[in-house]
Amino acid sequence: MSRFGQKTTHKFTNCGIALLGFTSEILFAGSAEQVDNKHKRLEGCAPYLSQAKVSVQHVSKTYLTKNGKRVETLRDVSFDVLEQEFLCVIGPNGCGKTTLLRIIAGLDAANSGKVLIDGEEAKAGKAGLIFQEFSLFPWRRVIDNVRFGLEIYRVEENESHRVAEKYIELVGLSEFKHVYPHELSEGMKQKVAIARALATNPSVLLMDEPFAPLDAQTRNLMQDEFLRIWEQEKKTVIFVTHNVDETLYLANRVVVLTARPGRVKKIYEVQLTRPRKRTNQSFVKMREDILKILGEEILPT
């Protein structure tokens, strides 16, 4: 079988990452609080391996604006992400969440610190990134949008069709594979974006508020759909969101960042069985805790 049929063998490097939206796997070890490396398997969660898949080590980032002003976005951010873990990152607006994803994806450079994926320095092509915007090519049918990354890596045409059809089926869009993006609902467009990222088999999947543009009902359906895909594909996922309910519904662990410059304020381990109920007492209590510490960052003291 070709390397595209073997999930653990093929890797890609450096081409077309900005368009494809690759993501990355992360393990956790906090700068605000140190976390024991012995992570037990949570009931209903993907199995953990003992080694960090992604290690964010003392990452800081400062931008220089057009007016010459220095804006510190991230300060000394450290955590690890385990292989096959689903980790959510949440924090106030402007705290550097998207910047952090771009650094993990190899699309931006930190001023200090480093990110390791599988023990090697992160670079473009190791992680897949899925944005809020679907970034689909309007002149391409669904199957050709999903094939785009495979074309960049010069995968043989028949093979690229086979891989694309596999992931289109995985996201439940087989009957729509020959339609154009404008013929799809918003939720279906995001499914195409997910299929496109998975088709290139990235080492880690990075997701930047992918369900934010969707209405509440579609968003909840997409959360369930993506959990199904995650459990089947066993990818390491780092998922950025502003939505506390979404965070607790999806994550094994939650990294809470402070207001800018973003620092690790606290890391939660979500010890709730799946499928989760948003009305569960433990769910509600944890939601209240996270909302409280986020409020401390947003509201003036």
Side-chain angles (χ1 to χ4, degrees):
M1 184 181 293
S2 77
R3 62 180 183 168
F4 291 96
Q6 297 291 335
K7 181 161 53 178
T8 57
T9 57
H10 72 273
K11 293 185 179 180
F12 303 95
T13 54
N14 296 336
C15 292
I17 184 169
L19 289 175
L20 291 174
F22 293 111
T23 107
S24 105
E25 308 182 52
I26 254 183
L27 172 77
F28 155 27
S31 65
E33 58 183 68
Q34 295 301 316
V35 177
D36 193 329
N37 282 333
K38 297 178 181 178
H39 291 276
K40 65 181 179 179
R41 179 178 177 178
L42 303 179
E43 183 180 354
C45 299
Y48 288 152
L49 302 182
S50 60
Q51 184 177 0
K53 180 69 174 180
V54 180
S55 184
V56 178
Q57 302 178 7
H58 305 290
V59 166
S60 297
K61 179 68 177 180
T62 299
Y63 286 102
L64 192 64
T65 69
K66 293 181 180 179
N67 297 327
K69 182 181 178 180
R70 295 175 64 85
V71 178
E72 187 181 14
T73 306
L74 296 168
R75 180 187 295 173
D76 194 28
V77 174
S78 296
F79 59 88
D80 289 337
V81 182
L82 291 166
E83 183 144 16
Q84 300 178 18
E85 183 173 17
F86 199 128
L87 181 131
C88 281
V89 179
I90 193 168
N93 282 332
C95 72
K97 299 183 294 296
T98 296
T99 299
L100 179 61
L101 283 191
R102 290 180 57 83
I103 292 171
I104 296 169
L107 298 177
D108 207 344
N111 294 109
S112 61
K114 61 184 178 180
V115 175
L116 302 178
I117 299 178
D118 293 324
E120 299 179 353
E121 191 164 348
K123 59 182 179 180
K126 280 200 167 185
L129 183 58
I130 299 175
F131 301 96
Q132 286 187 41
E133 303 81 14
F134 312 123
S135 302
L136 303 180
F137 300 112
W139 61 89
R140 282 180 165 242
R141 299 177 191 271
V142 165
I143 191 166
D144 296 319
N145 266 288
V146 175
R147 288 179 58 235
F148 177 71
L150 304 174
E151 291 175 353
I152 285 181
Y153 295 115
R154 298 182 181 180
V155 177
E156 190 270 332
E157 185 174 359
N158 288 340
E159 179 69 356
S160 71
H161 271 279
R162 186 193 67 78
V163 174
E165 288 183 349
K166 170 187 173 182
Y167 287 102
I168 290 170
E169 180 180 5
L170 180 68
V171 300
L173 292 179
S174 292
E175 63 181 298
F176 299 97
K177 64 183 178 182
H178 294 305
V179 307
Y180 291 97
H182 73 268
E183 300 176 84
L184 301 174
S185 69
E186 300 299 282
M188 294 165 77
K189 290 176 184 176
Q190 193 58 278
K191 287 184 178 183
V192 176
I194 292 170
R196 183 175 59 186
L198 290 173
T200 55
N201 197 18
S203 178
V204 177
L205 192 59
L206 306 174
M207 306 184 75
D208 188 7
E209 298 193 75
F211 307 143
L214 307 178
D215 64 82
Q217 183 178 1
T218 303
R219 183 172 188 153
N220 287 349
L221 291 173
M222 285 298 299
Q223 290 167 8
D224 286 330
E225 184 72 1
F226 187 72
L227 282 175
R228 177 186 64 80
I229 293 169
W230 168 67
E231 289 170 353
Q232 183 169 333
E233 291 295 298
K234 296 180 173 58
K235 292 291 184 185
T236 301
V237 175
I238 303 172
F239 190 107
V240 160
T241 180
H242 285 94
N243 189 300
V244 177
D245 273 35
E246 181 170 67
T247 296
L248 295 176
Y249 193 73
L250 296 174
N252 299 138
R253 285 185 303 130
V254 180
V255 175
V256 182
L257 298 183
T258 67
R260 189 176 69 236
R263 291 150 289 157
V264 176
K265 184 178 180 75
K266 190 167 184 178
I267 299 176
Y268 288 88
E269 195 165 351
V270 186
Q271 300 190 44
L272 299 174
T273 58
R274 301 183 190 273
R276 292 173 180 167
K277 294 183 178 180
R278 302 172 203 266
T279 55
N280 175 278
Q281 186 175 357
S282 297
F283 190 106
V284 172
K285 176 62 168 63
M286 189 170 289
R287 178 176 60 206
E288 291 174 350
D289 290 345
I290 295 177
L291 286 171
K292 180 179 179 181
I293 66 171
L294 286 174
E296 294 170 356
E297 295 298 316
I298 297 170
L299 298 175
T301 58

